Amino acid sequence: GVCRYGGSEPAGPVYSTDTPFTNGMNTPTPAPSATWTRSPTLTPTPTGTPPPTNTLTPTSTPTPPQPCRLSAAKRGNDVVLSWTVDPGATAYRVYRGTTPYFVPGTPYAITTGLTYTDMCVIGDPAINYFYRVAAAYPFGEAFCNNRVGEFDIALMAGSIRGAALNDLAIPLDVSAVITDAESLANWIEGEGGVPFATVRQLLKWDVSRQTFLAWDHRFGFGDNFAITTGDFILATLSQDAPLVTTFVGRVPEPGEVSFRLSPGTARGCALNFISLPFDQGALTTADQLSDAIGIPDTTVAQALDWDAMRQTPLVWLNVFGLGNNFPATPGLPYIVCLSDTGVPSIWP
């Protein structure tokens, strides 16, 4: 091209800065890259609020085996144990002890069935048997969720001259077979004697009224009172009475058996008929039993144990520490005469 000069002073070409140039070449602007990257979108959260976290979906876990349930029944002189199935068990281990809450050691028997019969163990009041059953697995064992046992109580038969008074307690849960005075009378007569003749009367102390509820079994007359675990019962028996009656059932859990107590007055003590719960086995004498209720040497004025052989009570004068400090045995019945001082509403 031709460079033309002219125009006003100064003479020469005039360059515009509207379009910059370098060495006569425009600098190209780089085109956007075709490669894209995706970044996470963040949702702002209010100040002080933690950001959301991922929610985990729970997965199903195996259900642990359900504990079997143990029961016991009397058949002649045998104790028949039975239990419900425990899923996954390869066998069942039977444990036996002579105290209600014994610690299982070596299995007494092992079986793959759901029953076990312990033969010829009933009838000796000097020794009672208690049982636990465990379901065995390849990795260990799981115990059935209750204990059972048998408890023998010696009875004194009457004579041709008259009936004999016996005291007994209901140390086990026998509600499957005994629920009231009539069913208890039938149970005793089922072990020997003459129906509707051997058991003449059954009596239960009403602590609130300080008098007896009485049921005449022979004539079906009186108060057919309810029977519960731990109850103290008096029974008048004819000459046909069996030598022993045996209760078979569930062992109550510690703390399950207790008694509502009635205090005496300034004029005298009040009679309370109790049994010694299995969980109070540390109390072995009348003095220890008396001092365990309320204030030692004060609350229990007297403790009594009925001697059926001689048909007379053994008496411990607790306030003065005099008399017959008879042995106390868990599961057996006792009478405590309470003063008006320090009497708990419930014992133990």
Side-chain angles (χ1 to χ4, degrees):
V2 178
C3 181
R4 297 181 183 274
Y5 296 92
S8 61
E9 293 295 333
V14 178
Y15 300 97
S16 171
T17 59
D18 291 342
T19 305
F21 56 88
T22 303
N23 294 330
M25 298 289 293
N26 289 337
T27 304
T29 302
S33 172
T35 303
W36 296 85
T37 59
R38 177 175 297 171
S39 60
T41 301
L42 298 179
T43 302
T45 58
T47 302
T49 303
T53 58
N54 291 335
T55 302
L56 299 178
T57 302
T59 58
S60 60
T61 56
T63 302
Q66 296 299 313
C68 49
R69 182 162 186 82
L70 177 63
S71 60
K74 177 180 178 293
R75 187 177 65 191
N77 291 327
D78 305 336
V79 172
V80 180
L81 307 175
S82 59
W83 51 88
T84 57
V85 66
D86 203 330
T90 57
Y92 297 92
R93 299 168 184 167
V94 178
Y95 296 89
R96 190 180 81 172
T98 54
T99 58
Y101 307 119
F102 73 95
V103 177
T106 302
Y108 178 65
I110 299 177
T111 178
T112 57
L114 298 177
T115 63
Y116 178 79
T117 300
D118 200 13
M119 302 179 66
C120 301
V121 293
I122 283 177
D124 184 0
I127 185 169
N128 300 303
Y129 292 107
F130 303 91
Y131 304 89
R132 296 207 70 181
V133 170
Y137 303 95
F139 55 83
E141 64 181 10
F143 281 94
C144 295
N145 59 4
N146 56 309
R147 302 172 174 86
V148 297
E150 62 88 21
F151 199 92
D152 306 293
I153 297 178
L155 299 177
M156 175 58 60
S159 67
I160 195 171
R161 300 177 60 184
L165 183 63
N166 289 255
D167 64 338
L168 54 91
I170 313 295
L172 301 170
D173 177 2
V174 294
S175 56
V177 291
I178 299 173
T179 58
D180 54 20
E182 179 66 6
S183 55
L184 174 59
N186 291 333
W187 177 267
I188 295 173
E189 290 179 341
E191 297 184 308
V194 180
F196 300 105
T198 296
V199 178
R200 296 190 176 182
Q201 273 193 332
L202 294 176
L203 302 99
K204 180 179 177 180
W205 185 250
D206 185 336
V207 66
S208 61
R209 296 189 298 165
Q210 290 288 290
T211 188
F212 282 106
L213 306 174
W215 174 249
D216 192 312
H217 173 59
R218 294 175 298 170
F219 303 106
F221 179 78
D223 193 331
N224 186 21
F225 50 81
I227 297 288
T228 59
T229 307
D231 275 352
F232 181 126
I233 306 297
L234 288 170
T236 55
L237 305 179
S238 73
Q239 60 184 339
D240 303 311
L243 297 178
V244 176
T245 187
T246 301
F247 299 115
V248 177
R250 180 184 64 86
V251 176
E253 294 300 317
E256 184 176 338
V257 174
S258 61
F259 303 92
R260 185 167 60 87
L261 301 180
S262 179
T265 65
R267 300 179 60 185
C269 61
L271 292 176
N272 288 257
F273 290 68
I274 66 173
S275 64
L276 185 60
F278 286 142
D279 58 4
Q280 300 297 312
L283 309 178
T284 60
T285 66
D287 185 49
Q288 291 178 352
L289 171 60
S290 300
D291 287 346
I293 302 175
I295 303 173
D297 302 324
T298 300
T299 298
V300 177
Q302 295 181 18
L304 302 94
D305 181 23
W306 182 249
D307 186 340
M309 178 75 70
R310 295 187 300 166
Q311 291 289 286
T312 187
L314 305 174
V315 181
W316 171 248
L317 301 175
N318 184 54
V319 174
F320 303 104
L322 299 174
N324 192 322
N325 189 18
F326 53 81
T329 302
L332 293 185
Y334 300 99
I335 304 171
V336 288
C337 201
L338 304 182
S339 71
D340 60 347
T341 305
V343 178
S345 58
I346 299 292
W347 185 85

